[in-house]
């Protein structure tokens, strides 16, 4: 089993990242047996699709590394690194650009969502972004990729690229990766709009819970979260057509390790005035220890750089055989 996943180091780690992906990373790392390996990385090469100044980008990478370690990624057991330190990702991306089709990329919903009406003004990087993501995965022959629901289409593309490359060059080089998507928290929604996903790029900070938010900020954001005037239903079925209520109950259930039905049963007939403080407490208790470890870790840049350098050396060694085989399959002498 080879587990791999990545996160863009833009802005803070938020509750959507944590519940949709990072918690699963930690669980898979902790349950790993001796024959398995976990690779987790900061997708800084992907982050060039968002304009950022030099100093801020450097800070973002170190902060996201600190956040992952604070959330439970152990750099001794997992290979933790930033993509820019491992050129194999960019090299394989270029090779796969010969395999990926424009028609496939045209169908990517994230690209369409991000560019909106200004397709002509979007960067090429944003368009080929999923090819780099495919390279990230295929260069390690990853078997399991823990991600939130929004990455499912990119994973399907990685499988299509792998299949076409193997067929075109008559090799069995790339392994087809399986997405690992959590059942309950695959799509955490915005606190301002239950139909939009919680995201770092939402201009309203009230829409998301950040790892850096203190206890008061968390309680405030929960209190102000958009809801409807109805009381909580007796079963989760009654949440249909109530996206905000469904989101908050889902978050509560995930954090408490219970089903949405059990949460509804407990709060049935009560309004959000009763539910929100309980949810706020649960969030505060979950995030407080992570935040305090994060605040401590982010003060030691040298230690964070050392972790990423060591991880990059291990990652480069793991990527090399597949990269070499890909050049060779294409008849490119290296
Ligand atoms: P990114 O940085 O947007 O998000 C990191 C992870 O968090 C998940 N996620 C969510 N899950 C549930 N609810 C939400 N509201 C929410 N928002 C984010 C994402 O699904 C993701 O798992 N393209 C990727 C990074 C990447 C990658 C890879 C992932 C680059 N190469 C290779 C896997 C394998 C991205 O931008 O994730």
């Amino acid at each position: 089993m080879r587990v791999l996943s990545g996160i863009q180091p833009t802005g803070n780690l938020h509750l959507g990242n944590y519940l949709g992906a990072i918690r699963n990373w930690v669980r898979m790392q902790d349950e790993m047996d001796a024959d398995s390996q976990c690779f987790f990385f900061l997708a800084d090469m992907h982050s060039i699709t968002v304009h950022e100044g030099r100093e801020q980008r450097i800070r973002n990478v170190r902060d996201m590394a600190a956040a992952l370690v604070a959330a439970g990624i152990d750099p001794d057991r997992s290979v933790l690194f930033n993509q820019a330190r491992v050129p194999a990702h960019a090299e394989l991306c270029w090779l796969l650009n010969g395999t990926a089709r424009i028609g496939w990329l045209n169908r990517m919903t994230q690209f369409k969502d991000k560019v909106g009406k200004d397709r002509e003004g979007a960067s090429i990087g944003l368009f080929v972004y999923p090819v780099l993501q495919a390279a990230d995965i295929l260069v390690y022959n990853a078997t399991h990729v823990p991600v939130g629901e929004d990455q499912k289409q990119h994973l399907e593309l990685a499988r299509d690229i792998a299949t076409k490359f193997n067929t075109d060059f008559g090799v069995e080089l790339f392994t087809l990766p399986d997405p690992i998507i959590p059942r309950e928290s695959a799509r955490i929604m915005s606190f301002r709009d239950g139909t939009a996903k919680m995201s770092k790029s939402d201009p309203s900070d009230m829409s998301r819970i950040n790892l850096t938010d203190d206890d008061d900020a968390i309680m405030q954001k929960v209190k102000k979260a958009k809801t409807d005037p109805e009381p909580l239903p007796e079963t989760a079925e009654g949440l249909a057509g109530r996206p905000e209520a469904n989101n908050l109950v889902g978050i509560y259930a995930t954090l408490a390790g219970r089903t949405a039905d059990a949460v509804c049963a407990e709060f049935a007939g009560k309004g959000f005035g009763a539910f929100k403080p309980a949810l706020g407490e649960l969030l505060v208790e979950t995030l407080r220890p992570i935040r305090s470890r994060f605040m401590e870790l982010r003060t030691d840049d040298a230690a964070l750089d050392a972790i990423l350098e060591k991880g990059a050396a291990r990652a480069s060694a793991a990527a090399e055989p597949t990269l070499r085989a890909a050049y060779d399959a294409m008849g490119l002498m290296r």
Side-chain angles (χ1 to χ4, degrees):
M1 198 165 141
R2 268 209 172 172
V3 176
L4 170 133
S5 202
I7 183 165
Q8 285 207 61
T10 37
N12 283 315
L13 192 71
H14 58 71
L15 188 67
N17 301 134
Y18 181 63
L19 296 182
I22 315 302
R23 250 174 37 133
N24 248 352
W25 300 8
V26 174
R27 192 178 50 77
M28 292 177 90
Q29 161 194 276
D30 292 348
E31 289 171 0
M32 199 172 52
D33 60 29
D35 297 331
S36 306
Q37 261 182 313
C38 288
F39 295 83
F40 300 118
F41 68 96
L42 313 169
D44 50 1
M45 299 284 278
H46 278 106
S47 81
I48 65 163
T49 54
V50 179
H51 179 74
E52 196 65 89
R54 177 179 188 276
E55 300 308 318
Q56 188 60 48
R57 208 187 290 284
I58 293 173
R59 185 72 257 151
N60 285 349
V61 167
R62 290 178 178 149
D63 274 355
M64 195 55 91
L68 295 183
V69 175
I73 298 300
D74 173 353
D76 290 326
R77 279 186 292 159
S78 293
V79 182
L80 177 62
F81 62 101
N82 63 303
Q83 214 179 10
R85 279 197 169 94
V86 184
H89 294 237
E91 280 187 63
L92 184 62
C93 174
W94 181 252
L95 301 189
L96 298 180
N97 278 339
T99 302
R101 307 285 95 185
I102 289 181
W104 299 355
L105 293 176
N106 271 337
R107 285 196 284 276
M108 295 294 116
T109 54
Q110 274 211 348
F111 175 74
K112 287 194 247 184
D113 289 348
K114 285 202 172 139
V115 299
K117 289 198 179 76
D118 188 21
R119 196 174 189 281
E120 297 295 304
S123 72
I124 303 279
L126 195 61
F127 188 64
V128 297
Y129 177 114
V131 184
L132 179 58
Q133 184 160 347
D136 298 337
I137 299 167
L138 301 179
V139 84
Y140 300 100
N141 278 316
T143 54
H144 298 75
V145 184
V147 285
E149 170 80 31
D150 62 346
Q151 296 301 317
K152 201 169 163 214
Q153 197 185 31
H154 289 163
L155 264 290
E156 279 158 14
L157 181 85
R159 293 172 65 96
D160 289 345
I161 292 175
T163 307
K164 182 164 163 58
F165 186 100
N166 287 346
T167 311
D168 285 355
F169 295 102
V171 287
E172 280 181 38
L173 178 58
F174 295 127
T175 307
L176 303 195
D178 280 323
I180 306 293
I181 298 175
R183 216 175 309 138
E184 331 78 43
S185 52
R187 204 172 163 79
I188 302 293
M189 309 311 275
S190 154
F191 275 20
R192 307 304 304 158
D193 173 2
T195 63
K197 78 171 180 191
M198 185 176 285
S199 140
K200 323 178 223 240
S201 53
D202 192 316
S204 166
D205 194 56
M206 293 302 282
S207 70
R208 65 185 158 261
I209 304 277
N210 303 302
L211 181 64
T212 44
D213 290 341
D214 62 22
D215 296 355
D216 284 348
I218 295 173
M219 292 307 278
Q220 273 302 317
K221 285 180 178 181
V222 175
K223 197 172 149 200
K224 295 243 165 79
K226 187 177 166 200
T227 43
D228 57 43
E230 301 295 315
L232 283 145
E234 269 160 37
T235 63
E237 253 186 2
L239 295 168
R242 298 175 64 185
E244 285 84 15
N246 188 41
N247 188 40
L248 297 185
V249 169
I251 292 171
Y252 189 105
T254 304
L255 293 175
R258 295 162 60 188
T259 63
D261 272 331
V263 177
C264 287
E266 185 186 337
F267 290 93
K270 295 193 179 137
F272 284 94
F275 178 74
K276 280 179 165 179
L279 174 61
E281 282 301 323
L282 206 49
L283 277 166
V284 163
E285 293 307 321
T286 308
L287 296 179
R288 191 187 287 135
I290 304 179
R291 181 177 68 236
S292 78
R293 279 195 298 274
F294 168 70
M295 291 302 183
E296 203 180 307
L297 288 162
R298 79 186 291 263
T299 59
D300 193 346
D301 288 349
L304 294 169
D305 290 351
I307 288 173
L308 295 176
E309 264 168 42
K310 192 175 115 202
R314 291 165 72 193
S316 291
E320 180 56 26
T322 312
L323 182 65
R324 195 184 316 125
Y327 274 98
D328 184 63
M330 298 175 78
L332 293 166
M333 284 172 288
R334 192 169 169 239

